[in-house]
Amino acid sequence: MAGLQLHAEHGPGLDADPEGFMAGIERFVTRQVLMTRPREDWRADVGSRYKALAQHTKEDARTQFMRILRTLPYGNATFFAVRRIEDPIGLLPPRLILGINKRGVHFFRPVPKEYLHSAELRDIMQFGSSSQAVFFKMRVAGVLHIFQFETRQGEDICMALQTHINDIMMKRYSKVKAASEANPTGEATLQPAAGSQAMGSVVGGNAAYNAKMEEHLKEQQGQLEQAQQALAAAQQAESQIRCDNDALQSELKDLRELMAGEAATRTALQDQLVESERQLGELRNDLDMTKSALTAASALANEHSGRAEVEHERLAELEG
């Protein structure tokens, strides 16, 4: 498989680059499997198979790879990672991977990667999902059990499973319809009596089966349409929520910018207030110094005035 994938991806000639070839092997062979053998053994084994494909094209290798993949029970499956909630048998690990394809549901251990079990579609009696989980009511060894798993992809799992079931039902209906058209009721009268009765019962059974099949398909189609409508409504609601969230985020951004601007303005005002208080303190100091100087000048003036009066009195006495 690794040789086919290398040839489908790179074509012939990659083995000329040993490092690139080994990197390709590490890419297409899981780590747990790669650790089971020495690197040189992997290089030699995959290299010999890779060289054997030298005469084939990339498309040939891809076709052969898909042919082998389709032979596996879980080939062409869609995989989902889940957690175990309810396991009546007690054989499933806490974490596992579910694979959904036209054959049924397949269970894998994620680490180390290991195929565990498969449940065919005919053994799945009921299934459903919620926003956090998915459940299967299926037959294991002839006994019905309910398995429940935690996942946010429950709707996707149920949709994939329902799609494969609808495809199988449509194919069966087409085969039954083609068989009933190939054996019309009128041809049964040419058979002997016993044969006529047998053919009539077959045709009648086919007609009844067709009617039931059509009714079942209509129900399935109605459920599918309802699921699609619910999905469309959910997607529309999600889109609306995203739009509202974007609007709120934009509004929040504007408010944060406004708050940042107000904070800057408040900081500037606080700086101005501190500067004004400093200048006011300097003016008060200047005023106090001026008052002190004025007081000293007044005292000096009073002193000089007193001396002048004394001198004036002495002068008056001398003149007298």
Side-chain angles (χ1 to χ4, degrees):
M1 296 292 284
L4 286 171
Q5 287 177 286
L6 287 170
H7 193 83
E9 183 78 16
H10 303 283
L14 182 63
D15 52 346
D17 180 11
E19 293 183 0
F21 189 75
M22 195 63 208
I25 294 175
E26 293 175 353
R27 175 186 174 190
F28 294 120
V29 179
T30 60
R31 183 177 300 177
Q32 290 80 13
V33 177
L34 195 64
M35 293 171 61
T36 59
R37 299 169 61 186
R39 294 167 62 90
E40 294 302 324
D41 289 354
W42 279 111
R43 189 196 303 274
D45 192 2
V46 177
S48 63
R49 299 172 189 272
Y50 176 79
K51 291 178 180 178
L53 299 170
Q55 303 301 323
H56 297 275
T57 65
K58 290 184 178 181
E59 189 61 30
D60 292 338
R62 190 176 294 110
T63 302
Q64 181 64 20
F65 176 79
M66 294 303 297
R67 186 180 294 113
I68 296 174
L69 196 62
R70 281 193 291 268
T71 62
L72 300 174
Y74 45 83
N76 292 333
T78 304
F79 297 96
F80 304 90
V82 300
R83 289 173 178 264
R84 182 194 64 202
I85 296 178
E86 185 175 354
D87 175 17
I89 301 178
L91 298 178
L92 297 178
R95 293 173 179 267
L96 62 157
I97 296 175
L98 296 184
I100 308 294
N101 66 359
K102 64 181 181 179
R103 293 184 176 91
V105 181
H106 313 279
F107 301 88
F108 299 84
R109 187 191 307 275
V111 179
K113 291 182 179 177
E114 179 185 2
Y115 169 69
L116 299 175
H117 178 69
S118 291
E120 297 183 3
L121 290 180
R122 63 184 179 183
D123 293 329
I124 301 174
M125 302 293 103
Q126 188 179 0
F127 57 90
S129 67
S130 65
S131 60
Q132 299 290 334
V134 64
F135 79 90
F136 303 100
K137 184 177 182 181
M138 56 189 183
R139 186 184 295 108
V140 179
V143 182
L144 283 176
H145 297 284
I146 296 179
F147 296 82
Q148 190 171 357
F149 307 97
E150 178 184 350
T151 177
R152 295 181 180 272
Q153 296 179 287
E155 187 175 355
D156 296 334
I157 293 173
C158 291
M159 186 68 70
L161 197 56
Q162 188 63 56
T163 300
H164 291 302
I165 291 174
N166 290 343
D167 291 342
I168 292 176
M169 296 296 288
M170 287 296 296
K171 290 179 180 178
R172 290 181 179 176
Y173 172 71
S174 298
K175 290 181 179 179
V176 172
K177 187 176 181 180
S180 62
E181 290 177 353
N183 297 284
T185 307
E187 295 179 0
T189 58
L190 299 178
Q191 302 292 335
S196 298
Q197 292 177 359
M199 183 62 72
S201 62
V202 171
V203 173
N206 285 342
Y209 182 80
N210 290 345
K212 290 182 180 180
M213 183 66 70
E214 289 180 356
E215 182 179 357
H216 180 71
L217 287 176
K218 287 180 181 179
E219 292 178 359
Q220 294 292 330
Q221 186 66 27
Q223 293 178 2
L224 182 60
E225 290 177 356
Q226 290 178 359
Q228 289 175 346
Q229 291 175 359
L231 179 61
Q235 289 176 345
Q236 185 176 1
E238 182 183 3
S239 177
Q240 183 64 37
I241 291 173
R242 287 181 179 176
C243 291
D244 295 342
N245 185 40
D246 292 341
L248 289 174
Q249 290 290 344
S250 178
E251 185 176 354
L252 180 61
K253 182 180 178 180
D254 294 339
L255 289 174
R256 285 176 177 173
E257 292 178 354
L258 181 60
M259 290 176 64
E262 291 181 352
T265 303
R266 183 173 60 186
T267 303
L269 290 175
Q270 288 177 347
D271 293 341
Q272 291 179 3
L273 180 60
V274 171
E275 181 65 22
S276 298
E277 289 178 350
R278 186 187 64 78
Q279 293 178 359
L280 180 60
E282 292 178 354
L283 290 174
R284 284 177 178 173
N285 292 334
D286 293 343
L287 180 60
D288 292 340
M289 294 176 62
T290 303
K291 285 181 178 180
S292 298
L294 182 60
T295 300
S298 296
L300 184 61
N302 290 333
E303 183 181 355
H304 284 298
S305 177
R307 290 179 180 178
E309 289 179 358
V310 171
E311 294 294 333
H312 184 68
E313 290 177 356
R314 289 181 179 178
L315 182 61
E317 290 177 356
L318 291 175
E319 288 179 354

